[in-house]
Every structure is written in structure tokens, then in C-alpha cells.
Amino acid sequence: MTDTWQPTACMICSMNCGIEVQTEGERIVRVRPDKAHPVTKGYVCEKAQRMEAYQQGRDRLSSPMRRRADGTYEAVDWDTAISEVAVRLAAVRDAHGGESILYYGGGGQGNHLPGVYAQATLAALGVRYRSNALAQEKTGEAWVQARMFGCGMHHDFEHAEVALLIGKNPLQSNGFPRARVVLREIAADPARSMIVIDPRRSETAAMADYHLAIRPGTDAWCLGALAAVLVQEGIANTAWMDAHVSNAEPVLDVLRRVPVSQFAQVCQVDEDLLRAAARRMAAASSMASMEDLGMQMGVHSTLGSYLHRLIIGLTGSFGRKGTSYAFVPFRPLGGGGSASAGSAARPSGERNWKRSPVTGFPVIMGLIPCNAISEEILTDHPHRFRAMFIESANPVHSLADTARMREALRALEFSVVIDVAMTETASEADYVLPACSQFEKAEASFFNFEPAENAFQLRHPLFAPREGTLEEGAIHTRLCEALGVLSAEMVEPLKAAAGNLDGFAMAFAQMAAAQPAIMAVAPVLLYRALADALPEGMNNAAAVWGVAQIFVRNFPEQAAAAGFAGPLAGNRLFEAILNSPSGTVFSRIEHGGWDLVRQPGQRINLHIPEMLELLMALDPAGPPVDPDYPLILSAGERRTETSNTSIRDATWLRKGALDSTLRIHPGDAAQFGLGEGDAVDVVTRRGRARALVEVHEGCRPGHVSLPNGLGLDVRQADGSVRRQGAALNELTDYRWRDPVVGTPWHKYVPARLEKVA
């Protein structure tokens, strides 16, 4: 075992905490927090210890795989695979247009460079539509933020007097730097308060001063009531609003008419407690607030995101220390989107590229809703999707209605998957191209959301690539060469200049001015041109050079404040990134980022008419109820012993049985005659899954939950395939989704229980 500690990062959640590891051969044998990481600064949770389980996953691939007619797979060489994949995708493009190919994925937690290189392949194929996991979670939030703020937002809990957490359990899911440390500091300080909106008494809710234990699916009623209390009791921050918001009066008029008592009854929260929480928000000198999947995968999730931001506007909780803030991204996660989810239809026969071709859902952040994908395929519509290109993603397992997603994937004319393992999705594809693991190449995350000082970490490889695998930069470069959009004549002049980075920048600028079309394939062009000039093993970092150039062009003041100024600032930034394996501060801004607000006058727009209509149309009976399925299932709860599905060896994730446990309130367990450890079938209108009962005081009556990260079909040492735990999306229905942006109701699944004899 080497005694050297090497910096890298955890890739289990979006924080990507900096860690240091020791290795032995091809194994990670020790893990500790990296104190030199500029954001996480020595913080890490216990899940970072699981990196070896990812690196040594049982289903890892070592050769391209081609599907035979009988559904089995055969190994083929890379030249054959690249050639055949390029020919098949080009055939779909030529017959039906590039818009008939859907790209899904672009990088899992912590590996975002595939999405950069994929840009070139998608340009070569003329791909117009994309989707990924963000469209399962964040598009409603993004749609609201664009109309109210015009920028991305994050939240400064470290300095907040009040922390408001909506469907969020940071003690398990983090979500902001040093989450557990910060939460404990808030809980221990009598001058600070924590407000949690969650049906469950989660680990975070147990620490809260105000736990609004809402009936599942009633986040919108609860948030609407809180906003209404702020207005009706005259405790909104009107002085701040006069200076910083616009279009307030129609919103205030609606909030004056919200029936607070009725809304409190719907969400089954004591009205006095709800009013006390609103008053605490209003009295705070600063409040940071955050929503997450508990709401974003529930009923009326887009409306909930709007009401959350109304509360931010009504309390003045933006743009200063201890509140929400605008941030400078190193590279935006989204790729553009629609002007309005309510935009009018185009004239007959004219394509509206801002909506999905079959279902007409809005394209937000460049993404169509995940729940619409099967409908966009399983139809005779002339503009249906006919091929899928899937990268670092597992939609058969992760999207609603697994059976229907399998059917959709097999109905395509062609499908290809790039991944490290033979996943459930790969097992339905026509071709599988094996990638290096995140620890066998240069990799990075674009989850860069910090205030004041924002940092980016380019991780160096810990190991040589596994035999038979390629990094995504190489895969996309070879595909672009096979598609005829990248040639040696384009590469050689730049390659000759790559020995001197400043000379290279001049050569690239001259070529781009003379041949603007090269920008469409810039990532793969950089991969070929810069490979020999980069440190050993860092080829996959070539595209980061381009990201650095774009960043300093788009945010020159913020880059200069971090020390990267002048005509070659992009090169200096790229060099700093290469030479700082624990991470580099790439921007500095004044706390709050008001200059990044992209609304007229840099004021927050409170008025989204269609959201106010939805608010006033909320059913006084609450969310829908199915009498045949009286329980509400949260399909995917983050727990200490589970992880995301990048880690496919569940024996590492939990001790003892590999079964999922169904958490249920003691009263419900007694009612159904269930005891600890009993086997039970969880049944919905779409399917059933078996679990073991876990009687749990933190559950709300009528509300049950199953953990995330399980239900994988993993190949065992003897070659057999065994399912580890409950596959959640065999229970979910693609039709249960937000009507505005299509996000799924994974946290609101009507279910019943059947005890197993």
C-alpha cells in the first residue's frame, strides 16, 4: 500500500466533498477528508467511505457489447463498435432528422465531463432534444427561478439566523457545504432557529424548532398558508420589497384571500404552529431556505417552488449574508429552455422546438420531462423519438414505470449506452460502450454554487484505465471522426501549437475566426489537439481548457477578482486548475450577487399569473386519494445505509440482509398486523415489490417509505443475476406527474400492503 494520500472527491451526492485516498494496486484502501479543498475544507460524511465499492463494482465492463437477435450480448472490438454505432445513428438522422434522436444523461454525480464531449457528437447528429436526472427534480424550480430572478440561486445556511428546509433532510443528503456541522451549530444556538416541512420526523426534523409534519403531498397548501400569514398579519418585509421586488400588488391581493385556516386543515398542521413559524421567519435578520426532492417529486411541485420563492421575496431573504444568493457557475448545467411553460401553440405544421414533439411539455434547461419519454417513443406520431443515446445514466431503473421504459427502449430503431457497468438500461440497449471509472481518468463536477468564492476541482486519475475501456473524451472523439466531422486537417495545426498554451490560444482563435463551424466540435477537437501537451493521464481534461476560456469571457470581473485577468486569463485559469488537484477558486463576487439577477431593474418579479391561478384552484380536499390504495409511499428515501445507484454492490452499503426495509408508523403496523422484520408486498396500480417491515417512530401515520439506491439486478460471482432490494420504479406510474413541467410524483405513490405468509 502506498503511503501517499491523493486528493480526489466523493461522488455520492452533489456536494462532491474533497477527500484524500490511499490506494493499493487498483483498490482504494483508505479515505479521509481533504482539508485543502476550498469549499468543503475537511468536511465529509460517512458515505465517502464507499468509493471502493464503486471502483470495484461487480457489473463493470471491459469490452464493447453488441446485442444479438436473441437478446444476449457479444463482445466486439472498439473499431467495430465505433463504426457500427456511428452508422446506425447516422441512418436514423438521415431518415428522420437529428431531432428524432433523444440524448439522455451526460454524467452522473461527480462525472460531468462526458456532457461536455457529448456536445460535439450531438452537433454531428443534429440532436435537438435531451433529458437527464435534473428533469426529474429541478425543472420546476428552474422554470420559477427564471421568471422571478433570471439566475440560479443557492443558500447560505452557515450565516443564517433561520434555516427553512422544505422536503429536505441535509443530515442524510447534504445539499450545502459542511451540512451536518452547520445544522448542529444552528440547533445549539438559542438565537437561531430551524424550520422543517416534512411528513416524516427525519433526522433533520428531529433537530428542528418548528417541524411542520404535513400530510404527504400538501407542500403547496402549507407554503401558501405561510406566505398568506406574512401578508395578512402585516409582517412581510415591505421596506425591503419596495427596494427589491416588482409586480407585487397582484400577488399580495391573492395572498390576502388565501384561507389560512382551511389550508392548515388540509396539510394537517396546527394553525398556531404554522403561524408561529411564519412569524419566526418574518422576525429573522436573515433566513436561508432550500427545497429538495421531498417536495420536488410531489404534488404541485412547481407551484411549491413558486410559493417558496414568494416567501423569500416577502421576507427579504435574498442577496445578503445568511440568505439565498445568486452564484457564478463555472459551466451552466442546463442548455437553454423554453420562454414560457404556458406559451401558445405554433401555427399548424410549424415545429415548436421549445416543447417536446409528442406530449407538448415545455423544454426547460434544455431538457424534456423524464416522465414523458415513453410517450414520446411509444406512438405512431411522425415526430416520435426513434433512437436514444444514453450516457452515465440508467433510465430503465431510475425513471417512473420501469416496465414501460423497457418497452420503450426496445421499441426504438437503435439505442446505445455509454457506462461503466452493465446496468438495467444497458441490458436493453443495442450497443454498450464501456467507459473508464471516475477514478481512472480526469473528471470534474459542475455543481459549483458557492457565494463570494466559488471553486472548481479537476480530479486527477488514481488508476490507469481498466483494460478494454475508454474515457468519454476518446469515445466521442472517435464517434465524431467516424461521423466525418473531425479530421486530421483540422487537428494538426492546433496540435503543432499545443506545446505553448498561449500560442495555442492564438492558433485556436484564428482557426475559429476563419472556420466558425469548428466550434460545434470544439470539445473533441481539443481532445485530439491538446492530448500530448497535458500531464500523463489527463487527456480527458482537454475540454476544460475551452470551459475556462468561455468562463472568463462571460464573467470577466468575477474571474479577475479571483486573480484571472487579461487577454489570456483563460489560460491562467486552466493552468491553475491543472496544478491544483484539491480545487481552485475561479470567481469572487460581492455576497449576494445582485448584479447577476436578470430581471428588469435587477428586481425580483413576484408575479407569475398561472401560478396564482393554481394556488387559488387548490382542492380544499387536498391531494388526490385512491381508496383502493390508502397509504402514500415515498419511493426513495435517503438513508445512512444506502447510496445512489452508481454503487451497484449493495453488500457494501448495508450490513446483514440485502432487502429493502419498508418504514411504517407503529400504529399502522399494528393496524395491518405487521411486526418488525415481516415480509410484505408493497402494491400499487403499476406493480408490486417485496420488502421487510421496519417499524419507525419517525413515520407519519398513513405514510410509508422505501430506500433509494436498491432494486438493482447485480451479477453474482457465479454468473447469476440477483436483485438486491426493491426496484422502486416498478411501482410508479409515468402519468402521475406535475402538470406544469412533468416532474414525477415519486414521493406521492398511492399504495397498499399485503403481508407475505
Side-chain angles (χ1 to χ4, degrees):
M1 181 181 75
T2 176
D3 292 330
T4 302
W5 288 95
Q6 302 177 70
T8 185
C10 175
M11 29 66 72
I12 287 179
C13 84
S14 63
M15 285 313 303
N16 302 121
C17 294
I19 58 174
E20 293 182 307
V21 302
Q22 288 183 337
T23 61
E24 184 174 355
E26 295 183 354
R27 307 190 71 89
I28 297 171
V29 292
R30 295 183 68 189
V31 177
R32 72 182 185 187
D34 182 2
K35 295 179 180 179
H37 192 279
V39 173
T40 56
K41 300 176 182 177
Y43 170 87
V44 76
C45 76
E46 78 283 353
K47 293 189 178 184
Q49 300 296 327
R50 296 171 183 170
M51 297 302 94
E52 172 64 5
Y54 164 76
Q55 177 63 19
Q56 304 299 335
R58 290 178 180 174
D59 292 332
R60 285 203 60 190
L61 293 164
S62 57
S63 172
M65 305 297 289
R66 180 172 60 193
R67 187 182 180 93
R68 299 186 182 101
D70 65 358
T72 61
Y73 286 83
E74 60 183 340
V76 297
D77 63 84
W78 272 103
D79 288 343
T80 299
I82 293 293
S83 175
E84 291 187 359
V85 168
V87 167
R88 294 286 299 276
L89 287 171
V92 175
R93 174 199 62 191
D94 295 344
H96 307 290
E99 64 270 22
S100 67
I101 303 171
L102 174 67
Y103 178 74
Y104 188 91
Q109 296 282 27
N111 66 311
H112 291 170
L113 294 186
V116 180
Y117 287 108
Q119 299 285 343
T121 304
L122 303 188
L125 293 168
V127 172
R128 300 291 294 263
Y129 293 106
R130 310 178 191 184
S131 194
N132 61 35
L134 289 174
Q136 287 230 94
E137 306 162 359
K138 304 298 181 184
T139 44
E141 182 178 23
W143 184 80
V144 165
Q145 282 181 182
R147 280 144 193 81
M148 296 183 74
F149 294 81
C151 61
M153 291 170 57
H154 217 251
H155 322 282
D156 179 16
F157 288 97
E158 183 172 359
H159 302 103
E161 179 182 330
V162 168
L164 170 62
L165 299 159
I166 308 162
K168 178 70 178 170
N169 182 16
L171 276 174
Q172 285 294 352
S173 61
N174 291 302
F176 51 90
R178 302 171 57 252
R180 295 181 178 185
V181 173
V182 170
L183 289 176
R184 288 174 184 135
E185 289 174 351
I186 294 172
D189 188 341
R192 304 170 77 183
S193 297
M194 193 186 310
I195 303 169
V196 174
I197 301 175
D198 196 321
R200 302 176 304 119
R201 185 172 172 82
S202 67
E203 293 89 343
T204 304
M207 303 172 66
D209 302 278
Y210 304 83
H211 176 204
L212 309 185
I214 59 171
R215 170 184 166 192
T218 61
D219 303 80
W221 284 264
C222 181
L223 291 166
L226 289 169
V229 170
L230 293 170
V231 173
Q232 293 174 17
E233 294 193 1
I235 54 176
N237 191 340
T238 53
W240 186 92
M241 291 171 65
D242 288 343
H244 294 296
V245 308
S246 62
N247 304 317
E249 192 49 45
V251 178
L252 299 177
D253 180 62
V254 168
L255 292 176
R256 292 183 190 107
R257 293 184 280 119
V258 166
V260 173
S261 296
Q262 182 193 90
F263 276 29
Q265 290 173 6
V266 170
C267 61
Q268 297 178 358
V269 173
D270 182 87
E271 184 179 344
D272 289 341
L273 175 62
L274 193 148
R275 289 183 179 276
R279 293 165 187 155
R280 183 66 183 96
M281 296 180 204
S285 60
S286 61
M287 181 178 77
S289 57
M290 187 176 189
E291 64 186 64
D292 208 353
L293 308 191
M295 184 185 78
Q296 292 170 339
M297 287 184 163
V299 183
H300 292 303
S301 56
T302 302
L303 175 59
S305 292
Y306 172 65
L307 294 169
H308 170 204
R309 277 150 191 79
L310 276 190
I311 290 171
I312 289 174
L314 292 169
T315 56
S317 301
F318 180 83
R320 52 200 172 82
K321 195 171 184 178
T323 68
S324 298
Y325 57 84
F327 60 86
V328 178
F330 189 44
R331 180 180 185 267
L333 290 172
S338 66
S340 171
S343 58
R346 299 295 179 89
S348 178
E350 184 179 345
R351 297 292 296 274
N352 182 356
W353 301 109
K354 295 179 180 179
R355 288 188 171 271
S356 62
V358 176
T359 60
F361 270 107
V363 176
I364 298 171
M365 299 167 63
L367 308 173
I368 69 165
C370 299
N371 265 28
I373 290 174
S374 63
E375 288 177 277
E376 301 283 345
I377 297 170
L378 296 172
T379 175
D380 59 359
H381 194 286
H383 301 314
R384 67 186 180 273
F385 296 137
R386 298 170 187 265
M388 278 186 75
F389 194 134
I390 302 165
E391 184 163 26
S392 297
N394 190 4
V396 164
H397 183 269
S398 62
L399 303 191
D401 221 326
T402 287
R404 187 171 168 86
M405 273 306 303
R406 282 200 176 98
E407 179 188 358
L409 206 61
R410 294 309 311 146
L412 294 166
E413 295 177 20
F414 183 68
S415 57
V416 58
V417 168
I418 299 176
D419 213 320
V420 300
M422 198 69 177
T423 65
E424 290 71 23
T425 301
S427 298
E428 303 294 336
D430 295 305
Y431 247 106
V432 187
L433 305 180
C436 307
S437 83
Q438 291 190 36
F439 299 121
E440 296 167 353
K441 64 196 172 199
E443 247 317 345
S445 160
F446 295 117
F447 291 134
N448 316 119
F449 303 142
E450 301 317 303
E453 294 187 351
N454 210 345
F456 172 77
Q457 181 183 19
L458 176 66
R459 309 194 303 273
H460 292 219
L462 303 176
F463 312 105
R466 181 170 291 201
E467 185 176 356
T469 66
L470 291 176
E471 58 195 13
E472 289 86 352
I475 294 172
H476 285 289
T477 298
R478 292 191 184 192
L479 284 172
C480 286
E481 289 167 342
L483 290 165
V485 296
L486 181 66
S487 65
E489 290 76 17
M490 298 166 65
V491 172
E492 290 307 319
L494 293 178
K495 194 171 184 178
N500 178 278
L501 206 57
D502 290 353
F504 178 84
M506 297 294 291
F508 189 91
Q510 291 169 359
M511 179 178 283
Q515 305 174 56
I518 71 164
M519 294 307 295
V521 294
V524 295
L525 179 57
L526 291 172
Y527 186 87
R528 281 284 183 249
L530 279 176
D532 293 341
L534 295 175
E536 184 178 357
M538 294 296 288
N539 292 14
N540 216 44
V544 177
W545 180 87
V547 176
Q549 310 304 315
I550 293 170
F551 174 77
V552 299
R553 182 189 68 195
N554 291 344
F555 298 99
E557 294 179 6
Q558 293 85 352
F564 306 106
L568 293 168
N571 279 358
R572 305 291 82 80
L573 175 56
F574 180 62
E575 289 168 342
I577 288 169
L578 274 179
N579 296 323
S580 305
S582 289
T584 304
V585 173
F586 62 84
S587 78
R588 287 188 171 90
I589 63 173
E590 290 296 319
H591 206 111
W594 276 104
D595 56 329
L596 301 171
V597 174
R598 298 290 185 260
Q599 287 293 338
Q602 294 181 329
R603 284 174 169 259
I604 301 167
N605 168 43
L606 295 191
H607 189 213
I608 303 181
E610 52 266 58
M611 292 292 100
L612 295 178
E613 291 172 10
L614 279 177
L615 173 62
M616 296 311 292
L618 285 176
D619 191 334
V625 173
D626 188 333
D628 294 328
Y629 298 87
L631 298 172
I632 298 302
L633 166 70
S634 284
E637 178 189 350
R638 293 178 180 176
R639 300 179 186 173
T640 300
E641 71 273 15
T642 63
S643 180
N644 64 39
T645 56
S646 296
I647 298 181
R648 298 183 59 81
D649 185 354
T651 59
W652 176 267
L653 302 181
R654 59 178 294 134
K655 298 176 181 178
L658 297 176
D659 302 278
S660 297
T661 61
L662 178 82
R663 287 183 172 172
I664 183 171
H665 186 270
D668 288 339
Q671 178 185 346
F672 297 121
L674 299 173
E676 188 78 18
D678 283 350
V680 65
D681 281 344
V682 184
V683 185
T684 70
R685 290 199 178 274
R686 296 302 292 164
R688 63 175 59 226
R690 186 155 296 180
L692 300 180
V693 169
E694 180 184 351
V695 180
H696 199 275
E697 293 283 351
C699 288
R700 195 183 193 282
H703 186 215
V704 295
S705 66
L706 286 169
N708 73 316
L710 299 180
L712 299 170
D713 296 328
V714 179
R715 191 166 300 279
Q716 306 301 302
D718 62 1
S720 63
V721 174
R722 179 184 177 189
R723 175 160 295 177
Q724 300 182 334
L728 302 175
N729 284 308
E730 291 188 354
L731 303 172
T732 56
D733 191 327
Y734 75 97
R735 294 165 295 192
W736 281 55
R737 61 195 175 198
D738 182 74
V740 182
V741 302
T743 43
W745 291 1
H746 287 338
K747 308 300 183 186
Y748 193 87
V749 182
R752 69 169 186 260
L753 304 180
E754 295 180 1
K755 186 175 181 179
V756 178

